[in-house]
Amino acid sequence: MSDYPEHLKRLPWFTAQASNGGGACVEVAFLGEGSVAVRDSKDRYVRPFPVGGQGWSCFIESAGAGTFGPVG
């Protein structure tokens, strides 16, 4: 956890409104200029993964269109 910057710890993290609250979600925090940080709600001590604005927009568009299916 020593490489987890303080400014990322203090961000306002949230889950999707469609989340069922079962703890198996990702959390997102806005970083500015369309970029976000993403982390696993089950392990909040692992350093978040930053995603650029264009990548995040593509993900949101694909998720909204139902492009992603079950894994496995």
Side-chain angles (χ1 to χ4, degrees):
M1 176 140 126
S2 62
D3 67 340
Y4 193 158
E6 283 297 321
H7 73 280
L8 292 177
K9 293 178 189 177
R10 294 188 303 266
L11 290 171
W13 293 91
F14 66 94
T15 59
Q17 290 179 341
S19 170
N20 66 6
C25 303
V26 295
E27 295 178 329
V28 176
F30 293 112
L31 298 174
E33 298 182 20
S35 297
V36 298
V38 181
R39 70 180 181 184
D40 184 345
S41 64
K42 294 183 305 301
D43 196 353
R44 293 180 175 136
Y45 295 106
V46 173
R47 186 182 181 111
F49 180 76
V51 179
Q54 184 176 5
W56 184 245
S57 293
C58 288
F59 171 77
I60 294 298
E61 183 178 321
S62 297
T67 303
F68 304 116
V71 177

